[in-house]
Amino acid sequence: MMAAIEVQDLAKSFFDQARGVVRAVDGVSFSCERGEIVGLLGPNGAGKTTAIRLLASVLSPTGGRATVAGFDVQTQGLEVRKHIGYLTGGTGLYKYMTPIETLRFFGDLHGVPTKRLGERIEHLVKIFGIEEFQNSLCKNLSTGQKQRVNLARTVVHDPPVLILDEPTAGLDIASSSSILDFVRRSKDEGRCVLFSTHNCSEIELLCDRVAILNRGKLLACEPGHELLRKSGHPTLVHAVLAMTQADEPPSN
Amino acid sequence: MNLRQIRILISKDIRCFLRDWHCPVMLGLPLLFIPLVVLFMSQVVSSEKATVATATSVPQRIRVAFLGIEKGSPIRKRTLASADFEAARSASPLEDLKNQRVDLVIELSADPAETTGGVKHLRLKVHYDGTRAYSTTVWDRVNAVLWSANYDLARERLGNPALSEASLQPLSWEYKDRAAGKGQSEILIRIRTGVFAFLLVVGVLVAFSLNFAILVDDREGGTVETILSAPIERVDMLAAKAGMLLLVATVQMFIYGLASGATLALVPGQLRQLMGGSLAPGDVPLVFFCLLLMALFSCALLSVLCAVVQSYKAAYNLVGCVLAAQIFLCIPPFLPGYSLHGIAPWVPMLNVTAVINELFMGVANPAHFAAMMLSMLFHSAACFFVAYKLAATEAMLFGGVGSLRLALKPSNIRPQVLPTQSEVMLFSAGALMLLLYLGLPIQVRDLGVGLMLTEALIFLVAPWAFARYRKCDLGKTFRLILPPARSLLPCFLILVGTEMALFGVLLIHDKLLPFPPELVKAMEEGMRSIYREHSLVGGLILIAILPGLCEEFTFRGLVLSGFLNGNKPWTAIIGSALLFALFHLNAYRIIPTFMIGLAAGFAVWSTGSIFVGMLFHALHNGVFSYLVVYQTAPGSSPAGLADFSEVVLPLAALGVSLIWLGGTLESWRRLGSRDPPGNLG
């Protein structure tokens, strides 16, 4: 059976006048099965967000190949986007729409039938605790409330693959915790989750495997305990730091 | 495009738009604005005590009477030679003007000659009826006749037919309003009769601008990436935004229409006639059609800017500037001397306001209306097409990837020998915008000054500054070297042959796509006026030397070098010639200018020297304009060309032979030299 996310030698280069050709993602290969959470770790500028955008078919790769839910990200972008739930820490909500209207809007865009969409929205409103503010305009919601609405929006069409880019960035402990609970539940429901974060404790808590990116290259993609064993470091933070520092080019 | 997705996005935008508190203010704006305009106008009218109850428009054929001008006078002959005028027999012309038996009275003042500092002056008075609506077209006709009769009349009055033009001050004339009983500037007349049309146009543009602000908030809220991760194409997203903009603009326009209609229905009859000028009820839909085209063009502009600058907010700021510029462009049609002839159809906003002005004056001209409509549709379609192409690029969403801002930063630019093709295209687009929105409006006002500024700033300073900014090798980019002697003969043959062949091409062109007499007349009159105002030497500098120097600097310098950088020579020469033809902004001149561009391009590429192209261009312009101005009767070029077919065709055949001979010589020359000096490709 094909993996939910299959990445082979994926590359994305772009030209920058100051730096010349920049390889934001450089020959990355890994896979992610259904019912599995893979965490993406790496310093700023490592290429995590670019890799995630490539998998969401928001950007086009300049090399390699990737399939998501069995669809090629380059040639079947629309199909890919139908089968993923994509969330970034920076995504916003329409300030003059209510949470219910937001969910209905994205459900319509994904072509969810009206009756099923109504049931799905009812279900999501309950599990994300949106009832109390479901008819308020989004501009009046707190950051945590907005992110809950965003998560509900991400899964309104019940996608088999979730791609989450720093979903807990800027959230308080309670809001972060509810999002982590949701990610765990998604795994239990058989979804494949690609989870990018800077927070190593979240990775240790949630992920089955950890993919470490640095300067566009994949340094490792293994279970957390394997990484610790191989590196000989006591924590994931130390292991990741050691790996990325070893990968840095020698300074002048 | 997926219409279902576009519909869903537009529905979302409508919901968000209606909930924004700015929305009722923006939509309700005309309900305040229009009555306020009427209130102020009513105060102005009552203070002037003007009689406007009898306001009617002047017929297409103008009845003109003369005062103090003898039969056989040049001004009388020239006026009556035009089909637009007919002589009115009148014993007391001013009385007949009052009774509307004549439309205009042209009077030569009792003191015809006076001298100030050795320069002779003459003065004419044109009497008109201030209670009647004179159209832009009428004033243009009067101006044209007076202008053309200027020097003939001066010579006649001063009794010295041999008097040189240089010793005469151009004739000045004034307009006298019969109703007000005093001299009144033409500007006031036009503004008063067109004030409502003008305010309507400006009000609608301001409303578009304010409403667009509400709709451009997406990216800043971080929602664009969310939408793009849904099963939707970028183009659908852009189309939905453009559709919503158009919808809002249309609604806004109809609210303006309703407010205007209701106000006009309620105000007293005199004021209504003053505000509406001579607008026929049947023309009202045409006015709104014009406004709809303005809405379409504004949306197209915003769409392309949205796609280019990667941020709707920044796009809005830019489009705000463009709309402000358009408001300024709305003013000239209400001023004297504005004409729709020739080049103006390429400036969309000028034309739409001019046509609205004509509709309000009750002198709608179907040809003007058609030209305006085509111009607006063409510009809108071009903008939407560019936006459609740009929308497919990733740069629309991610400023950091291939960022235009980064690319334009001087510290990020590396020195290069020649500009790239994309840089040249970018420059050309910018230069075309400058020409359309800055150069042409100035030329419409003052042809001589406009030509000088356009040539010097857009075609000389701008390419030089651009090449310097992009750190190109200026000597190689602009080919600032003398041509090698051995390449001069083939070049000379090709250039002379092209000139001869051009006669044949023009003959065929005139048979297949006849040059409109109006256009020929406007071109001839433009050239004549330049020679008249600036003397022969000044005229040659403006028409021949300056274009030869500056346009070659752009098209055979920067543009050709950019196209040669990565293309085969002929592709580059054809590309630069096409751009050269396009920049002349005249459908009837595309083929001749393309031929000139081809020949000059080949000569410059072959010799490696820009000076060959400059010389050829300047000679062509100089000889052509001299022939038109000094060797032909006004408006006779097309017919004259056809009459000389026995001469022209053999001449053209000889020209083709010379081109062939020059080409052969050139190929022999290059056989002996593997690396011709000009071939940088």
Side-chain angles (χ1 to χ4, degrees):
Chain A
M1 190 176 150
M2 198 174 197
I5 298 176
E6 188 83 52
V7 180
Q8 287 175 344
D9 290 327
L10 192 67
K12 176 70 181 176
S13 307
F14 57 86
F15 182 76
D16 183 282
Q17 290 277 5
R19 295 178 289 168
V21 176
V22 176
R23 296 176 195 279
V25 175
D26 191 4
V28 169
S29 301
F30 69 93
S31 64
C32 185
E33 304 291 339
R34 290 172 195 277
E36 185 183 25
I37 303 176
V38 172
L40 266 183
L41 258 181
N44 287 332
K48 300 189 298 293
T49 300
T50 306
I52 276 180
R53 282 174 174 168
L54 290 172
L55 292 177
S57 81
V58 173
L59 289 179
S60 298
T62 49
R65 187 166 179 271
T67 58
V68 175
F71 299 102
D72 190 294
V73 295
Q74 188 149 26
T75 57
Q76 296 170 294
L78 271 181
E79 289 302 318
V80 167
R81 295 198 288 274
K82 274 183 193 169
H83 290 84
I84 60 165
Y86 177 71
L87 175 73
T88 77
T91 50
L93 295 169
Y94 294 105
K95 56 185 179 181
Y96 289 109
M97 284 169 85
T98 66
I100 293 286
E101 287 167 348
T102 304
L103 296 181
R104 189 165 296 283
F105 168 62
F106 280 97
D108 283 340
L109 277 184
H110 279 92
V112 182
T114 311
K115 192 181 168 201
R116 200 175 133 229
L117 181 59
E119 293 165 1
R120 180 83 184 147
I121 290 173
E122 207 174 311
H123 172 67
L124 291 172
V125 163
K126 273 184 196 154
I127 65 166
F128 285 103
I130 296 173
E131 294 107 321
E132 58 181 298
F133 54 87
Q134 64 179 3
N135 291 317
S136 306
L137 291 181
C138 287
K139 70 182 179 111
N140 298 326
L141 304 184
S142 70
T143 311
Q145 287 171 332
K146 279 182 186 167
Q147 197 67 330
R148 273 191 273 166
V149 176
N150 246 329
L151 263 179
R153 185 271 300 163
T154 305
V155 293
V156 71
H157 54 298
D158 200 8
V161 177
L162 287 182
I163 298 176
L164 310 176
D165 188 12
E166 300 180 26
T168 56
L171 295 186
D172 61 18
I173 297 169
S175 302
S176 299
S177 172
S178 69
I179 285 171
L180 297 182
D181 284 345
F182 163 75
V183 173
R184 208 175 286 119
R185 263 202 315 274
S186 295
K187 177 194 169 180
D188 296 341
E189 288 167 6
R191 290 196 181 98
C192 160
V193 182
L194 187 64
F195 185 89
S196 155
T197 182
H198 284 294
N199 191 331
C200 286
S201 61
E202 285 178 359
I203 294 274
E204 282 176 318
L205 206 63
L206 281 177
C207 298
D208 300 308
R209 280 187 296 149
V210 187
I212 298 171
L213 275 175
N214 190 42
R215 297 194 298 124
K217 289 192 170 143
L218 187 69
L219 302 183
C221 184
E222 293 173 10
H225 58 86
E226 277 293 310
L227 271 177
L228 293 181
R229 188 181 62 78
K230 284 184 184 172
S231 66
H233 289 284
T235 64
L236 197 54
V237 177
H238 289 97
V240 171
L241 274 177
M243 289 179 82
T244 52
Q245 278 166 5
D247 185 52
E248 289 301 315
S251 64
N252 295 324
Chain B
M1 281 196 200
N2 186 333
L3 292 178
R4 183 182 168 276
Q5 302 290 59
I6 293 174
R7 184 182 55 77
I8 293 170
L9 285 172
I10 290 181
S11 306
K12 179 266 296 176
D13 266 343
I14 290 174
R15 184 180 288 132
C16 291
F17 180 74
L18 291 176
R19 284 180 185 168
D20 192 314
W21 70 268
H22 295 91
C23 164
V25 177
M26 299 308 158
L27 290 179
L29 201 64
L31 302 174
L32 289 172
F33 178 72
I34 299 286
L36 271 178
V37 168
V38 171
L39 181 70
F40 291 139
M41 283 183 73
S42 66
Q43 290 164 352
V44 171
V45 169
S46 58
S47 69
E48 271 192 356
K49 294 187 179 7
T51 310
V52 292
T54 56
T56 52
S57 64
V58 173
Q60 291 285 329
R61 197 164 159 81
I62 304 156
R63 293 165 300 176
V64 58
F66 300 94
L67 204 56
I69 299 174
E70 301 88 354
K71 281 185 182 171
S73 159
I75 193 162
R76 193 183 267 265
K77 280 186 196 163
R78 282 179 187 266
T79 308
L80 298 178
S82 163
D84 300 324
F85 297 96
E86 62 178 326
R89 291 175 188 280
S90 171
S92 52
L94 292 175
E95 193 61 31
D96 285 346
L97 179 68
K98 189 177 176 183
N99 298 328
Q100 298 194 356
R101 278 198 284 272
V102 298
D103 302 314
L104 282 176
V105 177
I106 300 178
E107 180 192 6
L108 197 63
S109 64
D111 179 19
E114 58 182 81
T115 305
T116 312
V119 180
K120 310 279 193 301
H121 289 265
L122 282 177
R123 191 168 292 275
L124 275 174
K125 286 178 187 166
V126 179
H127 299 265
Y128 64 91
D129 187 343
T131 64
R132 304 180 67 189
Y134 289 79
S135 72
T136 309
T137 318
V138 168
W139 291 123
D140 289 337
R141 288 170 189 160
V142 173
N143 282 338
V145 166
L146 294 182
W147 188 248
S148 63
N150 191 353
Y151 291 110
D152 288 342
L153 187 67
R155 288 194 192 98
E156 179 198 44
R157 276 284 158 180
L158 295 169
N160 181 5
L163 206 60
S164 78
E165 291 183 354
S167 67
L168 290 169
Q169 187 82 336
L171 183 70
S172 60
W173 54 84
E174 63 176 295
Y175 295 92
K176 299 274 287 183
D177 182 354
R178 180 206 58 78
K182 58 185 180 184
Q184 192 172 356
S185 80
E186 188 193 351
I187 295 174
L188 270 181
I189 291 297
R190 288 200 187 203
I191 288 181
R192 205 181 69 179
T193 48
V195 71
F196 193 67
F198 175 68
L199 289 172
L200 186 68
V201 168
V202 172
V204 168
L205 279 176
V206 170
F208 291 168
S209 171
L210 295 173
N211 280 317
F212 289 171
I214 301 171
L215 289 168
V216 295
D217 219 13
D218 268 359
R219 186 181 151 79
E220 273 53 46
T223 51
V224 170
E225 194 172 349
T226 314
I227 288 285
L228 284 178
S229 67
I232 189 165
E233 301 285 359
R234 285 160 204 265
V235 168
D236 293 342
M237 199 172 83
L238 199 77
K241 192 59 84 181
M244 183 59 194
L245 291 167
L246 193 57
L247 185 67
V248 169
T250 309
V251 170
Q252 181 75 71
M253 191 199 69
F254 277 106
I255 292 177
Y256 257 87
L258 286 175
S260 310
T263 312
L264 280 175
L266 292 172
V267 296
Q270 285 189 1
L271 185 58
R272 181 163 63 243
Q273 283 192 332
L274 176 66
M275 289 166 64
S278 302
L279 181 65
D283 287 344
V284 173
L286 294 179
V287 172
F288 286 102
F289 183 69
C290 291
L291 296 178
L292 192 62
L293 288 175
M294 286 174 79
L296 181 74
F297 181 56
S298 305
C299 296
L301 269 177
L302 187 62
S303 299
V304 75
L305 290 172
C306 281
V308 169
V309 301
Q310 305 146 12
S311 152
Y312 286 133
K313 204 76 171 178
Y316 168 70
N317 291 337
L318 269 176
V319 94
C321 297
V322 174
L323 283 175
Q326 287 175 18
I327 289 171
F328 283 109
L329 284 178
C330 290
I331 297 171
F334 297 95
L335 300 179
Y338 181 77
S339 162
L340 277 174
H341 302 311
I343 51 181
W346 296 89
V347 191
M349 278 299 168
L350 273 176
N351 294 318
V352 76
T353 46
V355 167
I356 289 173
N357 191 18
E358 285 187 352
L359 288 169
F360 267 75
M361 297 281 194
V363 287
N365 183 328
H368 289 178
F369 194 89
M372 177 278 298
M373 193 173 72
L374 286 174
S375 161
M376 292 297 275
L377 290 177
F378 169 78
H379 281 81
S380 304
C383 285
F384 279 127
F385 178 74
V386 171
Y388 174 80
K389 286 289 175 194
L390 288 171
T393 65
E394 288 170 0
M396 177 186 169
L397 181 60
F398 302 102
V401 182
S403 163
L404 188 65
R405 185 175 56 82
L406 277 177
L408 292 176
K409 205 173 168 187
S411 58
N412 284 339
I413 301 169
R414 283 171 295 183
Q416 54 187 343
V417 177
L418 296 177
T420 63
Q421 189 176 327
S422 50
E423 284 172 343
V424 162
M425 292 302 285
L426 184 70
F427 170 82
S428 303
L432 193 59
M433 289 287 279
L434 279 176
L435 182 64
L436 285 173
Y437 292 99
L438 188 69
L440 287 192
I442 298 175
Q443 285 183 23
V444 167
R445 301 294 309 135
D446 187 325
L447 189 56
V449 173
L451 270 177
M452 201 153 59
L453 286 177
T454 305
E455 295 291 344
L457 294 180
I458 301 178
F459 295 122
L460 187 69
V461 175
W464 178 83
F466 185 82
R468 199 177 151 85
Y469 171 68
R470 298 304 297 172
K471 296 182 184 166
C472 300
D473 183 323
L474 297 180
K476 286 184 177 161
T477 299
F478 294 107
R479 294 154 193 270
L480 300 171
I481 54 167
L482 291 173
R486 57 186 175 159
S487 66
L488 286 180
L489 178 63
C491 267
F492 175 76
L493 292 175
I494 287 172
L495 298 181
V496 172
T498 303
E499 282 294 318
M500 291 177 172
L502 198 55
F503 281 103
V505 170
L506 286 175
L507 186 69
I508 297 166
H509 192 298
D510 194 41
K511 295 282 180 205
L512 298 176
L513 185 67
F515 297 97
E518 198 179 56
L519 177 71
V520 174
K521 198 174 160 188
M523 275 181 60
E524 283 181 8
E525 189 48 43
M527 284 192 226
R528 278 179 216 284
S529 72
I530 284 177
Y531 278 109
R532 198 161 44 218
E533 285 176 38
H534 304 278
S535 77
L536 180 64
V537 175
L540 280 174
I541 289 174
L542 276 176
I543 290 180
I545 296 173
L546 211 53
L549 184 79
C550 304
E551 289 174 20
E552 290 305 304
F553 205 67
T554 293
F555 294 104
R556 256 62 68 183
L558 186 78
V559 172
L560 184 63
S561 295
F563 282 175
L564 279 169
N565 192 1
N567 284 313
K568 288 179 179 171
W570 272 111
T571 313
I573 291 169
I574 290 172
S576 66
L578 275 176
L579 265 185
F580 177 65
L582 178 73
F583 266 70
H584 283 76
L585 303 180
N586 191 322
Y588 291 93
R589 291 177 65 194
I590 283 181
I591 292 174
T593 43
F594 176 68
M595 278 186 67
I596 300 290
L598 274 186
F602 177 80
V604 171
W605 170 76
S606 169
T607 59
S609 168
I610 190 87
F611 300 115
V612 179
M614 286 177 176
L615 188 67
F616 171 57
H617 195 150
L619 278 175
H620 168 82
N621 281 16
V623 170
F624 182 74
S625 64
Y626 182 83
L627 287 177
V628 166
V629 173
Y630 292 100
Q631 302 296 316
T632 61
S636 66
S637 288
L641 199 64
D643 290 343
F644 287 102
S645 58
E646 296 91 356
V647 181
V648 168
L649 283 180
L651 202 66
L654 181 63
V656 173
S657 309
L658 286 179
I659 294 173
W660 176 81
L661 183 63
T664 309
L665 283 177
E666 173 62 13
S667 61
W668 286 350
R669 181 184 74 79
R670 283 164 60 196
L671 276 178
S673 165
R674 279 190 178 181
D675 184 22
N679 187 355
L680 293 171

